[in-house]
Amino acid sequence: EVQLVESGGGLVKPGGSLRLSCAASGFTFSSYFMNWVRQAPGKGLEWVSSIGGSSDFIYYADSVKGRFTISRDNAKNSLYLQMNSLRGEDTAIYYCARDAYLDGPSWFDPWGQGTLVTVSS
Amino acid sequence: DIVMTQSPDSLAVSLGERATINCKSSQSILNNSNNKNHLAWYQQKPGQPPKLLIYWASTRESGVPDRFSGSGSETDFTLTISSLQAEDVGVYYCQQYYTSPSYTFGQGTKLEIK
């Protein structure tokens, strides 16, 4: 069964840092682009960042560029998101999601259950 | 960035009736090289992550009931639930993956039972 499990969320003060992790299983992790998508409380979905299978391609939304760093460890089947200089508007559930299609631009499937990040003093 | 706009923002439909959700993109998301529209639909229930329903605008994901269908091309798309069931309540999102990886989602449409 393909599965994604996020961890690392929590309460952090503005300006603080947090590192999210996503453990993948049930598929050849290194073959897929992986993504982080977030959802502020009661709001819609916002793509945050993507990384290629070999970490060869890395992309960020403008809202997090320069503050967040995506990475992966294919030996550990794990995806990470290092979040620095956190702001109140970064408060959200952060989902790990896999590209579903290997041969080009793709929709996301599956998604993890998400981990909640709250930025507040 | 491509802006995805859904309508309506919320919708109440009686059980067994048809539900229609629209999604409009600010520019064409039809890939002329493969003649496919780069659009997906997701369903999200409270406390759960989004679940994929439709990709390539009209291809139903395996295991998704056939009462769900997607249509449209270029800039205008529709998700139709032919006969609403109680378990279909939730929020529905469209997503373009044409300008990969700068993906964008619609704002969501909340579907309720009338």
Side-chain angles (χ1 to χ4, degrees):
Chain A
E1 179 194 4
V2 176
Q3 194 171 15
L4 300 170
V5 179
E6 302 93 335
S7 60
L11 175 63
V12 60
K13 290 182 169 53
S17 298
L18 211 54
R19 189 195 196 207
L20 306 183
S21 299
C22 171
S25 59
F27 64 100
T28 305
F29 182 68
S30 59
S31 295
Y32 289 84
F33 259 82
M34 295 296 296
N35 310 275
W36 289 99
V37 178
R38 68 184 180 183
Q39 185 171 36
K43 301 298 184 183
L45 301 165
E46 179 189 16
W47 168 78
V48 172
S49 184
S50 300
I51 185 169
S54 304
S55 303
D56 42 356
F57 298 98
I58 288 178
Y59 307 100
Y60 299 100
D62 287 345
S63 57
V64 306
K65 201 173 293 182
R67 300 187 299 122
F68 289 11
T69 302
I70 191 172
S71 62
R72 64 192 295 161
D73 185 336
N74 288 341
K76 294 183 178 179
N77 287 345
S78 292
L79 175 72
Y80 306 102
L81 186 68
Q82 177 66 45
M83 303 185 296
N84 299 331
S85 303
L86 283 161
R87 306 166 180 165
E89 54 264 37
D90 296 319
T91 294
I93 295 172
Y94 284 74
Y95 294 103
C96 165
R98 189 194 74 174
D99 266 22
Y101 186 58
L102 284 172
D103 293 330
S106 176
W107 56 96
F108 299 150
D109 184 61
W111 299 59
Q113 287 295 315
T115 188
L116 177 62
V117 173
T118 303
V119 184
S120 175
S121 55
Chain B
D1 285 358
I2 295 179
V3 177
M4 307 300 290
T5 303
Q6 293 181 226
S7 62
D9 289 334
S10 63
L11 181 63
V13 175
S14 300
L15 290 173
E17 295 298 305
R18 178 185 300 261
T20 301
I21 299 170
N22 300 300
C23 176
K24 188 174 185 67
S25 59
S26 59
Q27 67 184 71
S28 176
I29 54 174
L30 172 62
N31 186 333
N32 290 315
S33 65
N34 61 11
N35 201 36
K36 291 181 183 289
N37 290 280
H38 288 219
L39 185 103
W41 287 98
Y42 302 89
Q43 174 195 63
Q44 187 177 34
K45 297 182 180 182
Q48 296 185 19
K51 173 190 172 186
L52 176 69
L53 298 175
I54 303 278
Y55 55 93
W56 295 133
S58 61
T59 302
R60 195 180 307 114
E61 169 70 345
S62 176
V64 173
D66 60 7
R67 64 180 180 272
F68 290 91
S69 63
S71 63
S73 186
E74 297 193 41
T75 61
D76 292 280
F77 302 91
T78 300
L79 175 70
T80 301
I81 307 172
S82 60
S83 177
L84 189 71
Q85 304 300 302
E87 61 266 31
D88 299 334
V89 167
V91 181
Y92 291 81
Y93 294 94
C94 61
Q95 177 213 3
Q96 66 82 16
Y97 48 96
Y98 183 80
T99 52
S100 171
S102 185
Y103 306 106
T104 47
F105 295 86
Q107 80 276 18
T109 295
K110 186 175 184 179
L111 177 59
E112 300 173 309
I113 305 294
K114 185 186 293 183

